Amino acid sequence: MVALSIRHLNKTYKNGVQALKDISLDVQKGDFFALLGPNGAGKSTTIGIVSSLVNKSGGEVSIFGHSLDSERELAKRKLGVVPQEFNFNQFEKVFDIVTTQAGYYGIAPAPARAAAEKYLRQLGLWDKRDSQARQLSGGMKRRLMIARALVHEPELLILDEPTAGVDIELRRSMWDFLTELNRKGKTIILTTHYLEEAESLCRHIAIIDHGTLVENTDMKSLLEKL
Ligand code: ADP
Ligand code: ADP
């Protein structure tokens, strides 16, 4: 089963920048997939389109068979996204940020609280549940974003540069967390500009450069080529 299907995706921003040029790729259910490329390659634009934050100029995207054009709400239900920027309310409490997100998906208060507790515990944030987000360190904020993205139990998790600006110790524990999540069946896609990160975690890799897909292969074949 295909978790994410991208067909002939194009994006031209209003300023004329052609950020994506005819990108097509499939990510299979259960895969751990890296989207690698230098700054400005088009990684965030791709994620922005998949998560309905950026309008595409052309092409088709579907998530577990649900097209973003015709079944956007069903598609969104299957997807959790961890964007690069911290986009929560800094004055809201950690626990409330996660349960509020569950509410957006129509999850009732009791199961929302249970799911929030589960993921805050797994991510080592349970002790911080009553803190305002602004009181957390950068690494904790990053983990809060992951808990929030998982609270509605999406089948596909997408993370945009999850370990950018994260120290080596936390990077390792985040890698372990994501590996375990994938082992339990979650499909994971991350963007990175570190080949080392992709190599440590991912089974498949796509490389984009200047908005063009230049490689789409399994990690083993790529490493043999290099
Ligand atoms: P869309 O085509 O999706 O509607 P826009 O072209 O309107 O997107 O741009 C969205 C916002 O991003 C605008 O406020 C724009 O000023 C800002 N922006 C412009 N150039 C860049 C850039 N190079 N990187 C990030 N943001 C930018
Ligand atoms: P990456 O995530 O790989 O660093 P992006 O998707 O952010 O790449 O950017 C791809 C290209 O699109 C870059 O040239 C960037 O400057 C441009 N860009 C990104 N966002 C906007 C925007 N909102 N408006 C105009 N140009 C943008």
Side-chain angles (χ1 to χ4, degrees):
M1 172 159 225
V2 180
L4 174 67
S5 159
I6 294 178
R7 284 284 165 275
H8 303 296
L9 189 62
N10 281 283
K11 173 63 182 179
T12 304
Y13 284 103
K14 287 185 191 107
N15 62 1
V17 171
Q18 219 184 328
L20 298 179
K21 300 166 192 165
D22 199 32
I23 299 274
S24 294
L25 59 89
D26 281 346
V27 177
Q28 301 298 323
K29 179 179 162 69
D31 206 351
F32 202 144
F33 194 97
L35 193 57
L36 184 80
N39 279 325
K43 303 183 297 295
S44 295
T45 299
T46 305
I47 289 190
I49 292 169
V50 171
S51 50
S52 299
L53 297 172
V54 173
N55 296 315
K56 57 186 161 69
S57 307
E60 284 118 49
V61 176
S62 41
I63 300 171
F64 285 95
H66 301 298
S67 159
L68 283 185
D69 294 325
S70 55
E71 298 185 305
R72 184 172 298 245
E73 291 313 311
L74 286 170
K76 283 170 91 168
R77 188 74 184 69
K78 299 269 184 194
L79 175 68
V81 179
V82 182
Q84 249 183 80
E85 338 71 58
F86 299 137
N87 60 356
F88 42 72
N89 175 352
Q90 297 276 342
F91 294 94
E92 202 176 352
K93 286 182 181 173
V94 166
F95 191 66
D96 297 342
I97 288 172
V98 182
T99 53
T100 301
Q101 181 77 8
Y104 295 145
Y105 290 96
I107 298 170
R113 285 195 298 270
E117 176 170 350
K118 174 173 117 181
Y119 285 112
L120 288 173
R121 281 191 190 282
Q122 283 183 19
L123 286 153
L125 287 173
W126 185 239
D127 291 346
K128 297 285 179 188
R129 62 190 177 278
D130 291 324
S131 301
Q132 289 181 349
R134 66 190 175 91
Q135 295 170 301
L136 303 182
S137 69
M140 289 176 181
K141 288 177 183 172
R142 183 69 54 200
R143 283 179 279 151
L144 169 59
M145 304 262 287
I146 298 176
R148 187 185 59 176
L150 288 171
V151 73
H152 63 292
E153 305 285 357
E155 290 191 54
L156 171 62
L157 179 68
I158 301 186
L159 307 102
D160 198 358
E161 300 266 357
T163 60
V166 163
D167 66 50
I168 185 76
E169 209 169 313
L170 179 59
R171 180 172 301 170
R172 295 236 174 277
S173 75
M174 275 176 52
W175 285 4
D176 290 345
F177 176 79
L178 294 174
T179 301
E180 179 61 12
L181 209 57
N182 177 249
R183 204 189 55 77
K184 286 190 267 182
K186 194 87 73 197
T187 309
I188 303 180
I189 301 172
L190 58 79
T191 73
T192 183
H193 54 267
Y194 298 118
L195 178 61
E196 188 210 336
E197 177 157 273
E199 196 185 329
S200 305
L201 292 173
C202 301
R203 281 190 293 279
H204 283 98
I205 184 165
I207 303 178
I208 53 174
D209 191 16
H210 292 92
T212 302
L213 194 71
V214 294
E215 189 69 81
N216 183 7
T217 183
D218 60 286
M219 189 62 72
K220 204 165 151 277
S221 313
L222 180 75
L223 294 173
E224 279 164 6
K225 252 202 256 181
L226 291 177

